Amino acid sequence: MPSLDPILDQNQFGCRPGRSTTHALVAVLHKRMKIFDNRGSVRAVFIDSRKAFDIVNHNTLLSKLKMYNATHCLLKWFGSNLSHRRHLVMVGQLFSSWKTLSGGMPQGSRLGPLSFIVLINDLRAACEVHKFVDTAFSELIPSTGSVSNMQSHLTSLLTWTANNDMQINTSKTKEMALGLTSINLPPLSTSTRAIERFSTFKLLGIFLDTNLSWSAHNKSITSKASKRLYFLKQLKRAGVPYKQLLHF
């Protein structure tokens, strides 16, 4: 991490020490609030990477590490960590045969998330790009007379994913139009399907709506709290002791 951190994209907030979802949300919302204050609008696309950790191409990853001037010793160590990994499936007392995988990252390791953010480090577009594990594109449109170029940005993303042996999950990739009530936006699409447009979207645990108000998020929190309060009331009526209620 000390050798890689200086070259990582400043808009990469995931899997890095000293950064969190809070930093990512502040960065995203600050840009959008600023354009709102200037009577502009935002067209946002929230991109979901298909099987992000499971289809990482080891050759592509090691090539990027080399390009980022990782030392030869670190490259050999990293390659050793990835190579000759075998998986099997267990169902009850039955086991499948072993299968050696040529791609993917070990789940639950410290190097898994780090390798993924190295892989997507050179993902860029001619618009605002914020990365955690999934990526958010934000097109800042200064006035109602401006034209959206988001389809072009999306096309550049698809080209990047093809060049890096990755895929986006188009069924989980969503679009939002924030403040764009007076603009007729052309729909976005990939080669397989259209991108759905939503009025609310859950980003890193926060519900965003088209007006960047907190109403959708507040509604979600109060709904969750109401369900848990009902649960506690039912337990209390059933005579569950106080200590156990506190535990629940």
Side-chain angles (χ1 to χ4, degrees), residues 32-225:
R32 295 177 183 178
M33 290 292 189
K34 191 173 181 180
I35 198 74
F36 267 34
D37 288 343
N38 294 323
R39 300 185 180 279
S41 305
V42 179
R43 190 176 193 184
V45 176
F46 305 101
I47 298 144
D48 184 86
S49 298
R50 180 177 174 271
K51 296 184 177 179
F53 286 83
D54 295 334
I55 60 173
V56 171
N57 185 309
H58 295 170
N59 291 329
T60 302
L61 175 60
L62 291 171
S63 295
K64 291 191 177 186
L65 283 168
K66 185 177 181 181
M67 181 178 66
Y68 296 144
N69 296 321
T71 64
H72 183 67
C73 177
L74 278 177
L75 281 173
K76 289 185 67 177
W77 177 72
F78 212 99
S80 174
N81 179 61
L82 295 175
S83 62
H84 306 298
R85 288 188 173 271
R86 301 192 303 161
H87 288 212
L88 61 75
V89 176
M90 178 180 70
V91 180
Q93 299 299 315
L94 301 178
F95 298 86
S96 72
S97 58
W98 287 96
K99 183 174 179 62
T100 301
L101 302 181
S102 58
M105 297 304 304
Q107 298 287 328
S109 68
R110 292 291 297 273
L111 288 178
L114 175 60
S115 59
F116 184 75
I117 66 174
V118 168
L119 186 68
I120 64 172
N121 189 59
D122 61 351
L123 171 57
R124 300 287 192 276
C127 64
E128 291 285 334
V129 180
H130 294 91
K131 307 171 190 173
F132 200 78
V133 173
D134 293 329
T135 305
F137 278 19
S138 300
E139 182 183 33
L140 309 180
I141 302 175
S143 63
T144 55
S146 302
V147 177
S148 171
N149 295 309
M150 184 56 82
Q151 182 63 56
S152 174
H153 306 324
L154 183 60
T155 301
S156 69
L157 167 70
L158 295 172
T159 301
W160 182 91
T161 55
N163 292 338
N164 288 272
D165 283 340
M166 294 187 67
Q167 303 169 24
I168 69 167
N169 189 338
T170 51
S171 64
K172 293 184 178 180
T173 295
K174 309 298 181 185
E175 177 197 358
M176 274 187 71
L178 297 91
L180 292 166
T181 55
S182 59
I183 300 178
N184 183 22
L185 294 175
L188 300 175
S189 63
T190 65
S191 58
T192 57
R193 62 180 294 166
I195 302 297
E196 292 183 83
R197 186 179 299 169
F198 282 74
S199 58
T200 60
F201 185 82
K202 189 177 184 181
L203 177 66
L204 302 176
I206 299 292
F207 281 92
L208 303 177
D209 61 24
T210 54
N211 296 317
L212 285 183
S213 70
W214 293 102
S215 57
H217 185 69
N218 290 342
K219 184 177 180 181
S220 169
I221 294 297
T222 52
S223 174
K224 185 183 295 185

